[in-house]
Amino acid sequence: MDSEDLLEKLLEAFYDEKIEPKKEAAKKILGLAARQENLELLISHEQFLSTISRTLRDEHKKSTELTLYLLCVFYIVSNYLEFHQILSEHQIGDITMKIIESQIQRFDLRYAELMEKQGQPQQLQELKKLNLMIAKQEKLFYVGFTILMNMAEDPIIENKMRKRKIITFLLRMLERNNFYLLIVTLLFLKKLSIVNECKMQMVEENCIRKLKRFFSADNNVLLQLSLGVLKNLSFDSEARLQIEQNGFIPDIVKMLKIPNYRFVSIVLLYLLTLDDKIRLTFGFTECMTLVVKLMLHFPEPVIGKELISLAVNLSTSSRNVDHIKEQEFQQIVQRAITNSDTLLFRFVKGVIENSTNPEVQTCAKGFVRHFMKLLVTQGKEEDLKFEIIGIMSALDLQENWIKLLNEPFIEFLHNNLAVGMIDDDIVLETMMLVSSIANSQNAAEKLFKSRILNALSQVYCEKGDDDEFVVQYLYCLNQFLFHKIGISQILEQDEILIQIIQQLNDKNKKVKQMSEEVLDILREYDQELCEKIKEIKFSEYNQLWIEHLNEQELMLQDGADMAFEDEYGGNELDPKMWDSDND
């Protein structure tokens, strides 16, 4: 009998009222479907899919064995993308979802019955029945979820599954112990976790807590898949918080020691370090130590972006950078200089800024001339220049600056204060470096002689509407004025003085504070300026009172007969003057 005649005969069995003939027919059809050459015959047969899909829909509650055979047929068909449309037309996804939901309800009911008989003689018998049912169910679940995962290649079908609680069903499977079922469950969750709505639902339904068990199990495949799910979920801030609260961080850090898990662990740890509070947790692990070792032994000249990004995030916390040994830091700086690695320089800057170990500053100072040489020779590379300027700003060189300020470097500072020709971030960073240099009186005098204040004033005039530039200019100016350098030059620049005086009423508290500090120094050398500041202060302090006087004056000019009274108590107003001697 050829395959076509055999198929006709087998399909007739599905019209029998008894289950056994259907089971036998389904088993034989599965044998036919297992051979690839028969698939075309099966799919092209007019009654094949409609008959077995109808049987599956009507009989799945009567026989788990029959259900499993038929699902296995659809499992084979679902492996071919070109047949997915046919499966959808016969509602195979809908039927499979109903079967899974029905089986979960059966388990819950049987488990509840077992709990009711706890301590009774029938308990052992009920437990055996439950375990037998679980074994059958797990095979069925494996096949069913694989069919759904294959069909979910279509985003529309995937969205329908989400609305039908597919994630809830999958999370129930994480409680099971069948290895193959867990694999398909984790694969499906990983696939769904890239969709924002699915991700949110997983977080809400405690998916992260349920993954914890796979970190203690000795199974590489399940651990690798669990890391992948966590990585996708950790793009969400709430998920990152749950990962930290469930104690995953120490476990993930340990994965850095194992090459097979290293890359996904680095990416996951990087995402976790995006949150400031979570970043502090890393200080209680060996993460920083391991990351530094990985950087020092990285095979390529420029360190991989994933690894260096993690390192940069960690470097913003003192708890983390204090784990770095002096010798390791020295090797890191040397590697950055040798390879002109921009992001590695950013890491170095973070370590210098946040380390509480004085040896870090000492070590970095030994490379100052190398940093200066890189700035002068490779100054066209904007990103590299930005990071090195930041490093030099963070170094506490004090009086050492006078030995370092040579003509090429001073020229470099001037060139990088050219607004419009140089990126704004670099101009701002250069201003910070000038402020740092001006901490030293001798260095400040040398810079002043190079007309650096003219360059700074030009920046201030052009970027006066940017609070960040204004604050940095005022701080820089304050450094020079503190040493009594450039006072006469500033006093001669009326436009700048007027702008600084106007900033006494600025809404930005930092701008206002820095303006006051600069003017406090300048007014000691100019009586007229002192009077102007008094006037501004008076106007600010008594603004309501002055407005009231102006209103009264206008009314009197219009001939209004009005008593000099208002909400302040009329003639009892007693405005306070700002006294420069008692500020």
Short mmCIF file of all heavy atoms in Angstrom, two decimals, residues 510-567:
data_model
loop_
_atom_site.label_atom_id
_atom_site.label_comp_id
_atom_site.label_asym_id
_atom_site.label_seq_id
_atom_site.Cartn_x
_atom_site.Cartn_y
_atom_site.Cartn_z
N LYS A 510 23.99 78.84 41.28
CA LYS A 510 25.44 78.73 41.14
C LYS A 510 26.01 79.95 40.43
O LYS A 510 27.07 80.47 40.81
CB LYS A 510 25.78 77.45 40.36
CG LYS A 510 27.25 77.06 40.42
CD LYS A 510 27.68 76.68 41.82
CE LYS A 510 29.13 76.28 41.87
NZ LYS A 510 29.60 76.05 43.24
N VAL A 511 25.32 80.41 39.39
CA VAL A 511 25.76 81.62 38.67
C VAL A 511 25.75 82.81 39.62
O VAL A 511 26.70 83.60 39.66
CB VAL A 511 24.85 81.89 37.46
CG1 VAL A 511 25.15 83.26 36.85
CG2 VAL A 511 24.99 80.79 36.41
N LYS A 512 24.68 82.92 40.38
CA LYS A 512 24.55 84.04 41.33
C LYS A 512 25.66 84.00 42.38
O LYS A 512 26.30 85.02 42.68
CB LYS A 512 23.18 83.95 42.00
CG LYS A 512 22.87 85.10 42.93
CD LYS A 512 21.45 84.95 43.48
CE LYS A 512 21.13 86.08 44.44
NZ LYS A 512 19.75 85.97 44.96
N GLN A 513 25.93 82.83 42.91
CA GLN A 513 26.96 82.68 43.95
C GLN A 513 28.34 83.05 43.43
O GLN A 513 29.09 83.80 44.07
CB GLN A 513 26.97 81.23 44.46
CG GLN A 513 28.04 80.96 45.52
CD GLN A 513 28.19 79.47 45.80
OE1 GLN A 513 27.31 78.68 45.51
NE2 GLN A 513 29.33 79.09 46.36
N MET A 514 28.68 82.52 42.22
CA MET A 514 30.00 82.80 41.66
C MET A 514 30.14 84.28 41.29
O MET A 514 31.22 84.87 41.43
CB MET A 514 30.27 81.92 40.44
CG MET A 514 30.49 80.45 40.74
SD MET A 514 31.78 80.15 41.97
CE MET A 514 33.17 81.02 41.27
N SER A 515 29.07 84.90 40.82
CA SER A 515 29.11 86.33 40.51
C SER A 515 29.39 87.15 41.76
O SER A 515 30.18 88.10 41.74
CB SER A 515 27.77 86.77 39.89
OG SER A 515 27.53 86.09 38.68
N GLU A 516 28.77 86.78 42.86
CA GLU A 516 28.99 87.48 44.13
C GLU A 516 30.44 87.34 44.59
O GLU A 516 31.06 88.30 45.06
CB GLU A 516 28.05 86.92 45.20
CG GLU A 516 26.60 87.35 45.01
CD GLU A 516 25.68 86.74 46.06
OE1 GLU A 516 26.15 85.84 46.82
OE2 GLU A 516 24.52 87.14 46.13
N GLU A 517 30.99 86.13 44.43
CA GLU A 517 32.38 85.91 44.87
C GLU A 517 33.36 86.73 44.05
O GLU A 517 34.32 87.30 44.59
CB GLU A 517 32.72 84.42 44.77
CG GLU A 517 32.00 83.56 45.81
CD GLU A 517 32.42 82.10 45.76
OE1 GLU A 517 33.47 81.82 45.14
OE2 GLU A 517 31.71 81.26 46.34
N VAL A 518 33.14 86.82 42.75
CA VAL A 518 34.02 87.61 41.89
C VAL A 518 33.90 89.10 42.22
O VAL A 518 34.90 89.82 42.37
CB VAL A 518 33.69 87.36 40.40
CG1 VAL A 518 34.39 88.39 39.51
CG2 VAL A 518 34.12 85.95 39.99
N LEU A 519 32.66 89.55 42.37
CA LEU A 519 32.44 90.98 42.64
C LEU A 519 32.93 91.38 44.04
O LEU A 519 33.33 92.53 44.26
CB LEU A 519 30.96 91.32 42.47
CG LEU A 519 30.45 91.26 41.03
CD1 LEU A 519 28.93 91.42 40.99
CD2 LEU A 519 31.12 92.33 40.16
N ASP A 520 32.89 90.46 44.98
CA ASP A 520 33.40 90.74 46.32
C ASP A 520 34.88 91.11 46.29
O ASP A 520 35.35 91.94 47.08
CB ASP A 520 33.20 89.52 47.24
CG ASP A 520 31.79 89.44 47.77
OD1 ASP A 520 31.05 90.45 47.62
OD2 ASP A 520 31.41 88.39 48.31
N ILE A 521 35.61 90.50 45.37
CA ILE A 521 37.03 90.82 45.23
C ILE A 521 37.21 92.15 44.49
O ILE A 521 37.97 93.02 44.91
CB ILE A 521 37.78 89.69 44.49
CG1 ILE A 521 37.71 88.38 45.30
CG2 ILE A 521 39.24 90.07 44.24
CD1 ILE A 521 38.29 87.17 44.58
N LEU A 522 36.46 92.30 43.39
CA LEU A 522 36.64 93.48 42.54
C LEU A 522 36.21 94.78 43.22
O LEU A 522 36.84 95.82 43.03
CB LEU A 522 35.86 93.30 41.23
CG LEU A 522 36.39 92.24 40.26
CD1 LEU A 522 35.43 92.07 39.08
CD2 LEU A 522 37.79 92.58 39.77
N ARG A 523 35.16 94.75 44.03
CA ARG A 523 34.65 96.00 44.62
C ARG A 523 35.61 96.62 45.62
O ARG A 523 35.49 97.79 45.96
CB ARG A 523 33.28 95.78 45.24
CG ARG A 523 33.22 94.89 46.45
CD ARG A 523 31.77 94.55 46.77
NE ARG A 523 31.66 93.65 47.91
CZ ARG A 523 31.52 94.04 49.16
NH1 ARG A 523 31.51 95.34 49.45
NH2 ARG A 523 31.41 93.17 50.14
N GLU A 524 36.55 95.82 46.10
CA GLU A 524 37.55 96.37 47.02
C GLU A 524 38.50 97.32 46.29
O GLU A 524 39.19 98.13 46.92
CB GLU A 524 38.36 95.23 47.66
CG GLU A 524 37.52 94.33 48.55
CD GLU A 524 38.35 93.20 49.13
OE1 GLU A 524 39.60 93.25 48.98
OE2 GLU A 524 37.77 92.27 49.72
N TYR A 525 38.54 97.24 44.96
CA TYR A 525 39.48 98.05 44.18
C TYR A 525 38.78 99.13 43.34
O TYR A 525 39.42 99.84 42.59
CB TYR A 525 40.29 97.13 43.24
CG TYR A 525 41.10 96.10 43.98
CD1 TYR A 525 40.56 94.85 44.30
CD2 TYR A 525 42.41 96.38 44.41
CE1 TYR A 525 41.30 93.91 44.99
CE2 TYR A 525 43.15 95.43 45.10
CZ TYR A 525 42.60 94.20 45.39
OH TYR A 525 43.32 93.27 46.08
N ASP A 526 37.44 99.23 43.45
CA ASP A 526 36.71 100.21 42.64
C ASP A 526 35.48 100.68 43.41
O ASP A 526 34.51 99.93 43.54
CB ASP A 526 36.30 99.58 41.30
CG ASP A 526 35.77 100.59 40.32
OD1 ASP A 526 35.02 101.49 40.74
OD2 ASP A 526 36.09 100.48 39.13
N GLN A 527 35.51 101.93 43.90
CA GLN A 527 34.42 102.47 44.71
C GLN A 527 33.14 102.60 43.89
O GLN A 527 32.03 102.35 44.37
CB GLN A 527 34.81 103.84 45.29
CG GLN A 527 33.80 104.41 46.27
CD GLN A 527 33.60 103.49 47.47
OE1 GLN A 527 34.53 102.84 47.94
NE2 GLN A 527 32.37 103.44 47.96
N GLU A 528 33.29 103.02 42.63
CA GLU A 528 32.11 103.16 41.76
C GLU A 528 31.42 101.82 41.55
O GLU A 528 30.18 101.73 41.57
CB GLU A 528 32.56 103.74 40.41
CG GLU A 528 31.40 104.07 39.50
CD GLU A 528 31.87 104.67 38.18
OE1 GLU A 528 33.03 105.12 38.10
OE2 GLU A 528 31.05 104.66 37.23
N LEU A 529 32.23 100.78 41.36
CA LEU A 529 31.67 99.44 41.22
C LEU A 529 30.94 99.02 42.49
O LEU A 529 29.87 98.41 42.45
CB LEU A 529 32.79 98.43 40.90
CG LEU A 529 32.38 96.97 40.80
CD1 LEU A 529 31.40 96.75 39.65
CD2 LEU A 529 33.61 96.07 40.61
N CYS A 530 31.52 99.38 43.62
CA CYS A 530 30.91 99.04 44.91
C CYS A 530 29.51 99.66 45.01
O CYS A 530 28.57 99.03 45.48
CB CYS A 530 31.81 99.53 46.05
SG CYS A 530 31.25 99.03 47.68
N GLU A 531 29.37 100.93 44.57
CA GLU A 531 28.08 101.62 44.62
C GLU A 531 27.07 100.94 43.69
O GLU A 531 25.89 100.81 44.03
CB GLU A 531 28.26 103.09 44.24
CG GLU A 531 29.05 103.90 45.24
CD GLU A 531 28.44 103.86 46.63
OE1 GLU A 531 27.19 103.91 46.74
OE2 GLU A 531 29.20 103.75 47.62
N LYS A 532 27.53 100.53 42.52
CA LYS A 532 26.64 99.84 41.58
C LYS A 532 26.11 98.54 42.18
O LYS A 532 24.95 98.20 42.04
CB LYS A 532 27.38 99.53 40.28
CG LYS A 532 27.60 100.74 39.39
CD LYS A 532 28.31 100.32 38.10
CE LYS A 532 28.56 101.52 37.20
NZ LYS A 532 29.29 101.14 35.96
N ILE A 533 27.01 97.81 42.86
CA ILE A 533 26.61 96.54 43.48
C ILE A 533 25.60 96.79 44.59
O ILE A 533 24.61 96.07 44.73
CB ILE A 533 27.85 95.79 44.03
CG1 ILE A 533 28.78 95.40 42.88
CG2 ILE A 533 27.45 94.56 44.82
CD1 ILE A 533 30.13 94.88 43.33
N LYS A 534 25.82 97.89 45.38
CA LYS A 534 24.86 98.24 46.43
C LYS A 534 23.48 98.51 45.84
O LYS A 534 22.46 98.08 46.37
CB LYS A 534 25.35 99.49 47.18
CG LYS A 534 26.40 99.23 48.24
CD LYS A 534 26.68 100.52 48.99
CE LYS A 534 27.72 100.28 50.08
NZ LYS A 534 27.97 101.52 50.85
N GLU A 535 23.48 99.22 44.73
CA GLU A 535 22.21 99.56 44.08
C GLU A 535 21.47 98.32 43.61
O GLU A 535 20.26 98.18 43.80
CB GLU A 535 22.50 100.49 42.90
CG GLU A 535 21.25 101.03 42.24
CD GLU A 535 21.58 101.94 41.08
OE1 GLU A 535 22.69 102.52 41.06
OE2 GLU A 535 20.72 102.09 40.19
N ILE A 536 22.22 97.41 43.00
CA ILE A 536 21.62 96.16 42.53
C ILE A 536 21.08 95.36 43.71
O ILE A 536 19.95 94.83 43.68
CB ILE A 536 22.65 95.31 41.76
CG1 ILE A 536 23.04 95.99 40.44
CG2 ILE A 536 22.12 93.90 41.49
CD1 ILE A 536 21.97 95.99 39.39
N LYS A 537 21.88 95.27 44.78
CA LYS A 537 21.47 94.52 45.96
C LYS A 537 20.23 95.14 46.59
O LYS A 537 19.31 94.45 47.03
CB LYS A 537 22.62 94.49 46.98
CG LYS A 537 23.75 93.55 46.63
CD LYS A 537 23.32 92.12 46.82
CE LYS A 537 24.47 91.15 46.59
NZ LYS A 537 24.08 89.77 46.82
N PHE A 538 20.23 96.47 46.65
CA PHE A 538 19.08 97.17 47.22
C PHE A 538 17.81 96.88 46.41
O PHE A 538 16.75 96.58 46.96
CB PHE A 538 19.35 98.69 47.25
CG PHE A 538 18.17 99.49 47.71
CD1 PHE A 538 17.92 99.67 49.06
CD2 PHE A 538 17.31 100.06 46.78
CE1 PHE A 538 16.83 100.39 49.48
CE2 PHE A 538 16.20 100.78 47.21
CZ PHE A 538 15.96 100.96 48.56
N SER A 539 17.94 96.97 45.08
CA SER A 539 16.80 96.74 44.21
C SER A 539 16.27 95.32 44.35
O SER A 539 15.06 95.09 44.37
CB SER A 539 17.19 96.99 42.75
OG SER A 539 17.60 98.32 42.58
N GLU A 540 17.19 94.35 44.46
CA GLU A 540 16.78 92.96 44.61
C GLU A 540 16.07 92.73 45.95
O GLU A 540 15.02 92.10 46.00
CB GLU A 540 18.00 92.04 44.51
CG GLU A 540 17.65 90.57 44.67
CD GLU A 540 18.89 89.69 44.80
OE1 GLU A 540 20.00 90.23 44.88
OE2 GLU A 540 18.71 88.46 44.85
N TYR A 541 16.66 93.29 47.02
CA TYR A 541 16.13 93.03 48.35
C TYR A 541 14.78 93.72 48.56
O TYR A 541 13.90 93.22 49.25
CB TYR A 541 17.14 93.52 49.40
CG TYR A 541 16.86 93.00 50.80
CD1 TYR A 541 17.33 91.77 51.20
CD2 TYR A 541 16.10 93.75 51.69
CE1 TYR A 541 17.07 91.28 52.47
CE2 TYR A 541 15.84 93.28 52.96
CZ TYR A 541 16.33 92.05 53.35
OH TYR A 541 16.07 91.57 54.61
N ASN A 542 14.60 94.89 47.96
CA ASN A 542 13.40 95.70 48.19
C ASN A 542 12.56 95.84 46.93
O ASN A 542 11.93 96.88 46.69
CB ASN A 542 13.79 97.09 48.69
CG ASN A 542 14.56 97.02 50.00
OD1 ASN A 542 14.00 96.78 51.05
ND2 ASN A 542 15.87 97.21 49.91
N GLN A 543 12.54 94.79 46.13
CA GLN A 543 11.88 94.85 44.84
C GLN A 543 10.40 95.21 44.96
O GLN A 543 9.89 96.08 44.26
CB GLN A 543 12.04 93.51 44.11
CG GLN A 543 11.48 93.52 42.70
CD GLN A 543 11.71 92.21 41.99
OE1 GLN A 543 12.26 91.27 42.57
NE2 GLN A 543 11.28 92.12 40.76
N LEU A 544 9.69 94.57 45.89
CA LEU A 544 8.26 94.83 46.05
C LEU A 544 8.00 96.27 46.50
O LEU A 544 7.06 96.93 46.05
CB LEU A 544 7.66 93.84 47.06
CG LEU A 544 7.57 92.38 46.60
CD1 LEU A 544 7.08 91.51 47.74
CD2 LEU A 544 6.64 92.26 45.40
N TRP A 545 8.84 96.74 47.41
CA TRP A 545 8.68 98.10 47.93
C TRP A 545 8.89 99.14 46.83
O TRP A 545 8.14 100.10 46.69
CB TRP A 545 9.67 98.30 49.08
CG TRP A 545 9.52 99.62 49.78
CD1 TRP A 545 8.57 99.97 50.69
CD2 TRP A 545 10.36 100.78 49.61
NE1 TRP A 545 8.76 101.26 51.12
CE2 TRP A 545 9.86 101.78 50.46
CE3 TRP A 545 11.48 101.04 48.82
CZ2 TRP A 545 10.44 103.04 50.56
CZ3 TRP A 545 12.06 102.30 48.91
CH2 TRP A 545 11.53 103.29 49.77
N ILE A 546 9.92 98.92 46.00
CA ILE A 546 10.22 99.84 44.90
C ILE A 546 9.08 99.84 43.88
O ILE A 546 8.67 100.90 43.38
CB ILE A 546 11.55 99.47 44.23
CG1 ILE A 546 12.71 99.76 45.19
CG2 ILE A 546 11.75 100.22 42.93
CD1 ILE A 546 14.05 99.24 44.73
N GLU A 547 8.55 98.64 43.57
CA GLU A 547 7.42 98.56 42.64
C GLU A 547 6.22 99.34 43.18
O GLU A 547 5.50 100.01 42.44
CB GLU A 547 7.05 97.09 42.41
CG GLU A 547 8.06 96.34 41.54
CD GLU A 547 7.72 94.86 41.41
OE1 GLU A 547 6.70 94.44 42.00
OE2 GLU A 547 8.48 94.15 40.72
N HIS A 548 6.03 99.22 44.49
CA HIS A 548 4.91 99.94 45.12
C HIS A 548 5.11 101.45 44.98
O HIS A 548 4.17 102.19 44.65
CB HIS A 548 4.82 99.55 46.60
CG HIS A 548 3.81 100.34 47.37
ND1 HIS A 548 2.46 100.08 47.30
CD2 HIS A 548 3.95 101.42 48.18
CE1 HIS A 548 1.82 100.95 48.06
NE2 HIS A 548 2.70 101.76 48.62
N LEU A 549 6.33 101.95 45.23
CA LEU A 549 6.60 103.38 45.11
C LEU A 549 6.36 103.88 43.69
O LEU A 549 5.79 104.96 43.48
CB LEU A 549 8.05 103.67 45.51
CG LEU A 549 8.37 103.66 47.02
CD1 LEU A 549 9.84 103.97 47.22
CD2 LEU A 549 7.52 104.67 47.77
N ASN A 550 6.78 103.06 42.72
CA ASN A 550 6.59 103.46 41.32
C ASN A 550 5.11 103.56 40.97
O ASN A 550 4.68 104.46 40.24
CB ASN A 550 7.28 102.47 40.39
CG ASN A 550 8.79 102.54 40.49
OD1 ASN A 550 9.34 103.59 40.86
ND2 ASN A 550 9.48 101.46 40.16
N GLU A 551 4.32 102.63 41.49
CA GLU A 551 2.87 102.67 41.25
C GLU A 551 2.25 103.92 41.86
O GLU A 551 1.40 104.59 41.26
CB GLU A 551 2.21 101.41 41.83
CG GLU A 551 2.52 100.15 41.06
CD GLU A 551 1.97 98.91 41.73
OE1 GLU A 551 1.26 99.06 42.76
OE2 GLU A 551 2.26 97.80 41.25
N GLN A 552 2.68 104.24 43.11
CA GLN A 552 2.15 105.42 43.78
C GLN A 552 2.49 106.69 43.02
O GLN A 552 1.67 107.60 42.88
CB GLN A 552 2.71 105.50 45.21
CG GLN A 552 2.22 104.41 46.15
CD GLN A 552 0.74 104.54 46.43
OE1 GLN A 552 0.21 105.65 46.50
NE2 GLN A 552 0.07 103.41 46.55
N GLU A 553 3.72 106.73 42.50
CA GLU A 553 4.17 107.92 41.76
C GLU A 553 3.33 108.11 40.50
O GLU A 553 2.93 109.22 40.15
CB GLU A 553 5.64 107.77 41.40
CG GLU A 553 6.24 109.02 40.78
CD GLU A 553 7.72 108.87 40.50
OE1 GLU A 553 8.32 107.90 41.04
OE2 GLU A 553 8.27 109.70 39.77
N LEU A 554 3.03 107.02 39.81
CA LEU A 554 2.20 107.10 38.61
C LEU A 554 0.79 107.57 38.93
O LEU A 554 0.20 108.37 38.19
CB LEU A 554 2.15 105.72 37.93
CG LEU A 554 3.43 105.27 37.20
CD1 LEU A 554 3.30 103.83 36.75
CD2 LEU A 554 3.69 106.18 36.00
N MET A 555 0.27 107.07 40.04
CA MET A 555 -1.09 107.48 40.44
C MET A 555 -1.16 108.96 40.76
O MET A 555 -2.11 109.66 40.41
CB MET A 555 -1.54 106.65 41.65
CG MET A 555 -1.84 105.21 41.32
SD MET A 555 -2.36 104.28 42.76
CE MET A 555 -2.62 102.68 42.02
N LEU A 556 -0.11 109.46 41.47
CA LEU A 556 -0.07 110.88 41.83
C LEU A 556 0.05 111.75 40.59
O LEU A 556 -0.54 112.83 40.50
CB LEU A 556 1.09 111.15 42.79
CG LEU A 556 0.92 110.57 44.20
CD1 LEU A 556 2.21 110.72 44.99
CD2 LEU A 556 -0.23 111.26 44.93
N GLN A 557 0.82 111.26 39.63
CA GLN A 557 0.97 112.02 38.38
C GLN A 557 -0.34 112.11 37.63
O GLN A 557 -0.62 113.08 36.92
CB GLN A 557 2.05 111.37 37.50
CG GLN A 557 3.46 111.58 38.01
CD GLN A 557 4.49 110.82 37.20
OE1 GLN A 557 4.13 110.09 36.29
NE2 GLN A 557 5.76 111.03 37.53
N ASP A 558 -1.18 111.10 37.76
CA ASP A 558 -2.49 111.09 37.09
C ASP A 558 -3.54 111.83 37.89
O ASP A 558 -4.72 111.87 37.52
CB ASP A 558 -2.96 109.65 36.86
CG ASP A 558 -2.07 108.94 35.85
OD1 ASP A 558 -1.40 109.64 35.09
OD2 ASP A 558 -2.04 107.69 35.86
N GLY A 559 -3.15 112.39 39.05
CA GLY A 559 -4.09 113.15 39.88
C GLY A 559 -4.93 112.29 40.79
O GLY A 559 -6.00 112.73 41.26
N ALA A 560 -4.52 111.11 41.03
CA ALA A 560 -5.31 110.23 41.89
C ALA A 560 -5.15 110.63 43.34
O ALA A 560 -4.05 110.91 43.79
CB ALA A 560 -4.85 108.78 41.70
N ASP A 561 -6.26 110.68 44.05
CA ASP A 561 -6.24 111.04 45.46
C ASP A 561 -6.25 109.74 46.27
O ASP A 561 -7.31 109.17 46.51
CB ASP A 561 -7.46 111.89 45.80
CG ASP A 561 -7.41 112.38 47.25
OD1 ASP A 561 -6.33 112.26 47.86
OD2 ASP A 561 -8.44 112.84 47.75
N MET A 562 -5.07 109.30 46.61
CA MET A 562 -4.98 107.98 47.26
C MET A 562 -4.04 108.05 48.45
O MET A 562 -2.99 108.66 48.36
CB MET A 562 -4.45 106.94 46.26
CG MET A 562 -4.38 105.54 46.82
SD MET A 562 -3.84 104.38 45.55
CE MET A 562 -5.32 104.39 44.52
N ALA A 563 -4.42 107.47 49.53
CA ALA A 563 -3.57 107.44 50.72
C ALA A 563 -2.41 106.50 50.48
O ALA A 563 -2.52 105.52 49.74
CB ALA A 563 -4.38 106.99 51.94
N PHE A 564 -1.29 106.83 51.14
CA PHE A 564 -0.08 106.01 50.96
C PHE A 564 -0.16 104.80 51.88
O PHE A 564 0.48 104.74 52.93
CB PHE A 564 1.14 106.87 51.29
CG PHE A 564 2.43 106.22 50.86
CD1 PHE A 564 2.69 105.98 49.52
CD2 PHE A 564 3.38 105.86 51.81
CE1 PHE A 564 3.88 105.40 49.13
CE2 PHE A 564 4.55 105.27 51.42
CZ PHE A 564 4.80 105.05 50.07
N GLU A 565 -1.10 103.87 51.51
CA GLU A 565 -1.28 102.66 52.30
C GLU A 565 -1.34 101.46 51.36
O GLU A 565 -1.86 101.57 50.26
CB GLU A 565 -2.58 102.71 53.10
CG GLU A 565 -2.50 103.62 54.32
CD GLU A 565 -3.76 103.51 55.17
OE1 GLU A 565 -4.55 102.58 54.89
OE2 GLU A 565 -3.93 104.31 56.07
N ASP A 566 -0.88 100.34 51.85
CA ASP A 566 -1.01 99.08 51.12
C ASP A 566 -0.90 97.94 52.10
O ASP A 566 -0.98 98.13 53.31
CB ASP A 566 0.03 98.96 50.00
CG ASP A 566 1.44 98.85 50.55
OD1 ASP A 566 1.58 98.94 51.77
OD2 ASP A 566 2.36 98.66 49.74
N GLU A 567 -0.70 96.74 51.56
CA GLU A 567 -0.67 95.57 52.45
C GLU A 567 0.50 95.54 53.39
O GLU A 567 0.55 94.74 54.32
CB GLU A 567 -0.64 94.28 51.60
CG GLU A 567 0.68 94.07 50.90
CD GLU A 567 0.54 94.09 49.41
OE1 GLU A 567 -0.28 94.86 48.90
OE2 GLU A 567 1.26 93.32 48.77
#
